[in-house]
Amino acid sequence: MRGFIVGELYRNKIVQILFIFVVFVALETSLVRVLTLNEISFAVILFLVILFAIAFALVVWRRAVRLFKDNRFDHIPVMLLNADNAGRLTGVSNYWLENFGFGKNEVIGRSIFDFLADESKTYFKEVCSQELFRVGFYKDSPCRFVKKDGECFDALVSAIALKDERGRMHGYQCSITDISLQKQIENQLRESKLLYKKIIYTIPDIFIQTDVDGYINFINDKGLDIIGKYTSESYIGRNLLSIISPEDRPKAERNIKLMFEKQLGLEQYKLSINGSEDAFCGVNGDVLRDESSIPYGIIFIIRDITQIKKNEQKLIESEEKFRSLVETSPNLTWEILPDGRFVYVSPQSLSIFGYKPQELYGMRFFDLLAPSEIERVSKRFAEDVKNLQPVIAFEVKAIHGQNGKEINVDISTSLIFNDKGDFVGLRGIARDITIQKQSEQKATKFKEYLDMVLRSGGIGFWFTDFSKNTTVIDEVWANMLGFTKEELSVVPTDSIMQSFLHPDDKETVINHIKESMVKENDANSFEHRMITKSGEIKWVLASVKVVKVDADGMPIEMIGFMKDITDRKIAQIQIAEANSTKDKLFSIIAHDLRNPLNAVIGFSELLVNNHESYETHKIGEYSNCIHSSATNLNSLLENLLNWANTQRGMLTFNPKPIDLDAIISEEIENVFYVAQKKNIIINSFNNKLMVKADSYLLRIIIRNLLTNAIKYSNPNSKVDIYSLSFKDSIEINVHDYGVGMTEEIKSNLFGLSNSKSQRGTANERGTGLGLLVCKEFVEKHDGKIWVESKLGEGSIFTFSLPN
């Protein structure tokens, strides 16, 4: 700084001239006093030379001072900068460049505001700069700067104004001190103090701080809540010993003195808590020391352990009860060391193993085992000890110490650890299950017999627990539904109702379950359908029984058996259908064949007996009746014969490409006479197609449908027969505009179950056998047949053939 001041003085011109003038006058005066006139001229010359030398030396000295000053500014280990009045940098120290991360050419000429963080720019402009221009300096102003890499740091800034020889400010010089680490330390210290305060105020114990003599100077709020009655002011200044019961004060006073020598750890005293004098407390404390290890106070953490003391007493009582239970229990309780030696055995050892407790002490657990069990049990115990896991219900075979017989024992163990967490032994319970094992073996054999009976009879078993919504299914029933036992051993009960029961039979099943609830002792048997995994429908004979109900009488547990009766049910259906077919055939033979035959016999008998007396028109009328009855009789016989052949499998099927239009034209000619009697026109169109079909069967289909359409058409109407071609099929339609039919008649058209046939518009009788024959023959071609009809508006019979 001294060099800085000298440089400023020599930068002032007036000071320089005054200095030279003073030197000149001094020399001149001295020379005049001692020299003669001749000598004066020489002296003047010499003076001028000296004056020139002094001036030259002054210039050189100024230059050297400036160079020295600049060099020292660059290398001073402080962040320094020079700036002009506008704040543009005119010089920076190398240390400034090093900390900011810039090169010198990057910063000279830039504004100091370029290096200030946004939050510090306004403060520097309105506070620091104003203070500098007003008094010429400022000191330790906090600012935040930004380095080249964008990192910000906190700093203290001091500055002094730079002035010319006239005292005018032409710039300023700043020093910057990085205080980021200091700020960080301050923040950490502040956070530590806050954390310390939070811990003190949130711990669930009494926290007290005293001076070295034990006088209280702080107690936390939780401590006041626990102690009760008093405020913080009532405790400040009191000695800690005043809240300790009199009988424990000598002990506490002695321990407080010892605390200055060593840490004592947790001590127990009786304290006055909530006005009580018998509250047990655990007290832990430590001495507070300054940097020179001189004690200046003590802190105490006090916890009310009254409840713990009570619990300890209860534990003692509980242990006594436990010992009583152990000694009266039918099970053996024992403890062994890691090597298997007994260290405790309850009295039941005599009844279970045949040894008295004192006989087992010193013996190893493995000494009691049957020889065949030693390796297995040793390996299991070693694994459990290694994995530090308990043993639950582990069955072993042992040898009774008195009779030498083999007994079955169920063992459960737990691991014993010491206070350090080291494994020190096993504690366990042993239970004699010999009788139980014998019963289980008998039950297992019985179950095997039952399973054999059920399997041989194809009967499946299931058990339902409605409270858990689970149903256990055996392998027979799982296989019956197309599953393996693993796939369907345990399933949700509601899933069975939704996925496996046939929708139409759910109500039946529910009703039978309700019925079984009423019949407490009898199983309820019924038939219903099930849906298998593949979607196949099977008939089963089920037998259910509710074995447990709740308070409201609703079933909780239910068992049942199920037998696949699909084959029997199909046979029953086939027998029923065969009987229905037989009855229908007998009906046809008894009525439909006899009626037209009676007509033929009756009218022919009249003609035979009266042909000479009848007029020609009457003979013609009777002849027509005979012909019509004979035609109907022939058609019925033909349909009956064709249907019977299909049922017996004697019908040949030989599909070939044929002209559909030609077949339809021929069949229209065959029914022309019947249509003409009703004045019905048959229209054929859009039938010029080639189809692959059996010519004989196709003719019968078309003839029956045309005959049927004429039968139910009104006189003076028409019948249309036409075809539609699709990608996969050809549909042939026979459309009449006659009487139509109801939905009930439509639903029974293509079967023998319809015992009554609708009469035609001319009172023609029908059996329905023709449509059944059509259905059989269409299905022979892998086609379908259906009808669309509306009562009073006619019907459209459609059948399809593969295209």
Side-chain angles (χ1 to χ4, degrees):
M1 200 65 180
R2 188 181 302 163
F4 171 72
I5 296 173
V6 171
E8 288 298 312
L9 288 173
Y10 276 93
R11 196 178 281 118
N12 193 307
K13 302 295 184 182
I14 297 174
V15 174
Q16 295 171 9
I17 296 171
L18 180 61
F19 176 75
I20 296 171
F21 178 73
V22 170
V23 174
F24 176 77
V25 172
L27 290 173
E28 185 67 23
T29 304
S30 299
L31 289 172
V32 169
R33 289 177 182 173
V34 299
L35 296 177
T36 63
L37 182 61
N38 290 330
E39 292 172 333
I40 289 173
S41 299
F42 176 76
V44 170
I45 295 171
L46 180 62
F47 173 75
L48 291 174
V49 171
I50 292 172
L51 182 63
F52 176 77
I54 292 172
F56 179 76
L58 179 63
V59 172
V60 172
W61 182 68
R62 283 187 60 195
R63 179 65 175 169
V65 168
R66 184 180 297 110
L67 289 173
F68 173 75
K69 173 178 170 293
D70 290 343
N71 185 57
R72 185 180 61 180
F73 181 80
D74 284 342
H75 294 90
I76 190 169
V78 179
M79 287 188 283
L80 295 177
L81 65 84
N82 281 353
D84 58 18
N85 288 343
R88 293 186 293 272
L89 302 186
T90 58
V92 292
S93 66
N94 289 340
Y95 192 71
W96 188 98
L97 294 171
E98 180 182 339
N99 278 275
F100 276 81
F102 289 96
K104 195 167 187 177
N105 294 334
E106 294 181 279
V107 298
I108 299 300
R110 291 177 61 182
S111 173
I112 191 172
F113 288 96
D114 294 344
F115 307 100
L116 284 167
D118 293 338
E119 61 266 26
S120 294
K121 290 180 179 179
T122 302
Y123 173 77
F124 189 85
K125 182 177 180 181
E126 297 180 355
V127 178
C128 299
S129 297
Q130 294 297 326
E131 185 74 9
L132 180 64
F133 283 106
R134 187 172 63 83
V135 298
F137 70 92
Y138 60 84
K139 183 180 180 181
D140 293 339
S141 293
C143 287
R144 193 167 176 80
F145 288 89
V146 183
K147 297 182 181 181
K148 184 176 181 179
D149 60 4
E151 180 187 354
C152 294
F153 67 93
D154 294 293
L156 294 177
V157 182
S158 298
I160 185 171
L162 301 178
K163 299 181 181 179
D164 58 17
E165 52 275 353
R166 295 182 181 180
R168 292 177 299 183
M169 179 178 171
H170 62 80
Y172 54 88
Q173 189 176 61
C174 290
S175 68
I176 303 171
T177 304
D178 187 351
I179 61 169
S180 297
L181 181 58
Q182 177 184 341
K183 292 277 286 186
Q184 183 178 355
I185 294 172
E186 288 176 355
N187 290 336
Q188 290 177 349
L189 183 59
R190 189 180 303 109
E191 290 176 358
S192 296
K193 289 180 178 179
L194 288 173
L195 179 61
Y196 174 75
K197 289 182 68 176
K198 286 182 179 178
I199 291 173
I200 296 303
Y201 284 103
T202 57
I203 58 175
D205 300 317
I206 306 169
F207 179 88
I208 293 177
Q209 183 175 332
T210 71
D211 60 15
V212 292
D213 296 320
Y215 289 95
I216 299 172
N217 53 41
F218 175 80
I219 182 170
N220 64 340
D221 293 340
K222 189 65 177 178
L224 292 173
D225 291 341
I226 295 174
I227 294 176
K229 288 189 178 182
Y230 305 107
T231 62
S232 176
E233 290 74 13
S234 63
Y235 282 99
I236 302 300
R238 290 177 60 184
N239 197 287
L240 178 67
L241 296 174
S242 66
I243 66 173
I244 298 177
S245 62
E247 64 266 29
D248 283 346
R249 284 177 190 171
K251 173 185 174 183
E253 188 174 5
R254 183 173 60 254
N255 286 338
I256 290 174
K257 289 179 181 179
L258 289 173
M259 286 173 61
F260 290 92
E261 301 175 8
K262 61 179 181 179
Q263 287 187 340
L264 298 182
L266 187 67
E267 294 289 340
Q268 293 185 10
Y269 306 97
K270 287 183 180 180
L271 268 68
S272 176
I273 302 294
N274 284 322
S276 174
E277 293 292 339
D278 58 355
F280 286 95
C281 291
V283 181
N284 206 341
D286 201 1
V287 177
L288 299 173
R289 302 177 187 271
D290 60 16
E291 296 177 355
S292 301
S293 296
I294 298 174
Y296 66 87
I298 311 173
I299 59 172
F300 296 94
I301 304 293
I302 304 171
R303 174 170 294 180
D304 183 1
I305 60 172
T306 305
Q307 188 61 43
I308 295 176
K309 282 288 188 180
K310 293 179 179 178
N311 292 340
E312 288 177 354
Q313 183 61 33
K314 290 181 179 178
L315 182 60
I316 294 173
E317 296 173 357
S318 176
E319 287 180 350
E320 293 176 354
K321 291 180 181 178
F322 172 75
R323 183 172 294 275
S324 175
L325 289 173
V326 165
E327 293 179 353
T328 58
S329 170
N331 300 326
L332 170 66
T333 303
W334 47 268
E335 289 183 1
I336 60 174
L337 296 176
D339 62 359
R341 284 183 293 112
F342 288 101
V343 293
Y344 172 76
V345 182
S346 66
Q348 292 78 6
S349 61
L350 181 61
S351 60
I352 295 178
F353 287 105
Y355 293 93
K356 296 178 181 180
Q358 56 269 27
E359 292 178 316
L360 290 177
Y361 292 135
M363 291 180 63
R364 296 169 68 248
F365 169 76
F366 305 103
D367 298 336
L368 306 178
L369 300 176
S372 60
E373 290 280 83
I374 294 177
E375 182 179 355
R376 179 180 72 93
V377 177
S378 299
K379 184 178 179 181
R380 171 64 184 272
F381 270 68
E383 290 176 354
D384 293 333
V385 170
K386 180 180 178 181
N387 298 324
L388 296 180
Q389 64 183 16
V391 176
I392 306 296
F394 182 53
E395 294 184 10
V396 299
K397 293 179 180 180
I399 302 298
H400 196 274
Q402 293 181 349
N403 57 32
K405 291 183 178 180
E406 194 174 89
I407 59 174
N408 296 97
V409 182
D410 180 89
I411 294 176
S412 296
T413 67
S414 61
L415 307 177
I416 305 174
F417 299 93
N418 60 16
D419 295 338
K420 297 180 180 179
D422 300 325
F423 169 69
V424 294
L426 290 168
R427 179 181 295 114
I429 294 175
R431 182 167 58 96
D432 187 356
I433 58 170
T434 305
I435 297 177
Q436 176 185 331
K437 290 294 291 184
Q438 293 173 352
S439 299
E440 287 178 358
Q441 291 172 357
K442 291 180 181 179
T444 301
K445 289 183 179 180
F446 177 76
K447 183 177 181 301
E448 291 175 355
Y449 296 152
L450 179 61
D451 288 343
M452 182 179 67
V453 171
L454 294 178
R455 286 175 181 276
S456 60
I459 300 173
F461 170 80
W462 51 267
F463 171 79
T464 294
D465 188 335
F466 290 102
S467 63
K468 297 179 181 178
N469 190 33
T470 57
T471 295
V472 179
I473 296 172
D474 74 344
E475 186 176 3
V476 175
W477 196 39
N479 294 340
M480 194 186 302
L481 295 175
F483 293 90
T484 63
K485 184 179 179 181
E486 290 73 20
E487 289 179 303
L488 211 64
S489 59
V490 180
V491 293
T493 302
D494 52 8
S495 175
I496 293 179
M497 298 293 287
Q498 295 173 4
S499 304
F500 303 128
L501 275 181
H502 194 284
D504 296 341
D505 291 349
K506 287 182 180 179
E507 186 176 352
T508 300
V509 173
I510 292 172
N511 289 335
H512 279 281
I513 292 175
K514 290 179 179 179
E515 186 178 342
S516 67
M517 293 166 56
V518 178
K519 300 178 180 179
E520 296 181 358
N521 298 321
D522 297 334
N524 190 12
S525 299
F526 56 96
E527 296 178 358
H528 66 87
R529 287 165 290 181
M530 300 289 289
I531 301 175
T532 66
K533 182 179 181 180
S534 62
E536 180 187 359
I537 296 175
K538 284 193 173 184
W539 279 92
V540 295
L541 175 64
S543 179
V544 300
K545 179 176 177 58
V546 175
V547 294
K548 187 177 181 180
V549 297
D550 59 16
D552 299 325
M554 298 303 294
I556 298 177
E557 295 178 357
M558 183 173 64
I559 60 172
F561 296 92
M562 194 168 293
K563 181 177 177 60
D564 186 356
I565 59 169
T566 304
D567 294 339
R568 188 181 78 186
K569 199 68 179 178
I570 292 174
Q572 288 177 350
I573 294 172
Q574 290 175 344
I575 291 172
E577 290 177 350
N579 287 334
S580 175
T581 302
K582 177 194 67 176
D583 294 340
K584 185 66 177 177
L585 288 175
F586 286 158
S587 175
I588 291 172
I589 295 171
H591 298 91
D592 298 321
L593 284 178
R594 187 174 61 182
N595 288 337
L597 186 59
N598 287 339
V600 170
I601 294 173
F603 284 112
S604 61
E605 185 177 354
L606 289 174
L607 288 176
V608 169
N609 296 328
N610 303 295
H611 65 280
E612 294 179 353
S613 59
Y614 283 163
E615 296 180 357
T616 304
H617 69 88
K618 197 166 186 69
I619 293 173
E621 179 183 349
Y622 285 0
S623 297
N624 286 334
C625 289
I626 293 171
H627 180 268
S628 177
S629 296
T631 301
N632 288 337
L633 181 60
N634 181 67
S635 176
L636 178 59
L637 288 172
E638 186 177 354
N639 283 330
L640 186 60
L641 180 62
N642 289 328
W643 182 81
N645 287 335
T646 61
Q647 297 304 301
R648 293 162 61 197
M650 299 180 63
L651 190 71
T652 58
F653 179 66
N654 186 23
K656 293 180 180 179
I658 55 177
D659 184 352
L660 178 62
D661 191 53
I663 296 292
I664 291 175
S665 297
E666 291 177 6
E667 291 305 318
I668 289 175
E669 290 182 5
N670 289 335
V671 297
F672 175 76
Y673 176 74
V674 180
Q676 188 180 40
K677 289 179 65 176
K678 286 189 172 184
N679 197 24
I680 293 172
I681 299 173
I682 301 176
N683 299 313
S684 173
F685 55 89
N686 202 38
N687 294 314
K688 296 186 179 299
L689 298 170
M690 293 297 293
V691 295
K692 188 174 182 180
D694 184 290
S695 175
Y696 175 72
L697 300 185
L698 182 59
R699 290 175 183 277
I700 294 174
I701 296 169
I702 294 173
R703 187 185 314 149
N704 274 307
L705 292 179
L706 286 174
T707 302
N708 194 67
I710 294 169
K711 182 189 299 182
Y712 296 106
S713 291
N714 294 315
N716 304 313
S717 63
K718 65 176 181 175
V719 172
D720 295 330
I721 181 169
Y722 57 90
S723 302
L724 299 174
S725 179
F726 298 95
K727 181 179 179 181
D728 299 323
S729 63
I730 293 174
E731 294 181 359
I732 302 168
N733 302 269
V734 178
H735 187 179
D736 69 72
Y737 301 87
V739 295
M741 65 187 79
T742 63
E743 289 296 325
E744 182 184 0
I745 295 175
K746 278 174 58 178
S747 63
N748 294 309
L749 274 180
F750 299 101
L752 282 174
S753 59
N754 184 21
S755 59
K756 293 184 178 180
S757 177
Q758 188 178 9
R759 288 183 177 271
T761 54
N763 205 30
E764 301 99 324
R765 291 179 59 85
T767 63
L769 188 60
L771 291 177
L772 179 59
V773 170
C774 289
K775 179 177 180 296
E776 296 276 357
F777 289 178
V778 168
E779 290 177 352
K780 274 281 188 181
H781 289 82
D782 293 328
K784 295 181 180 179
I785 185 168
W786 65 94
V787 62
E788 297 176 13
S789 181
K790 193 171 182 181
L791 192 62
E793 296 183 8
S795 304
I796 302 176
F797 282 84
T798 305
F799 69 95
S800 65
L801 298 174
N803 191 356

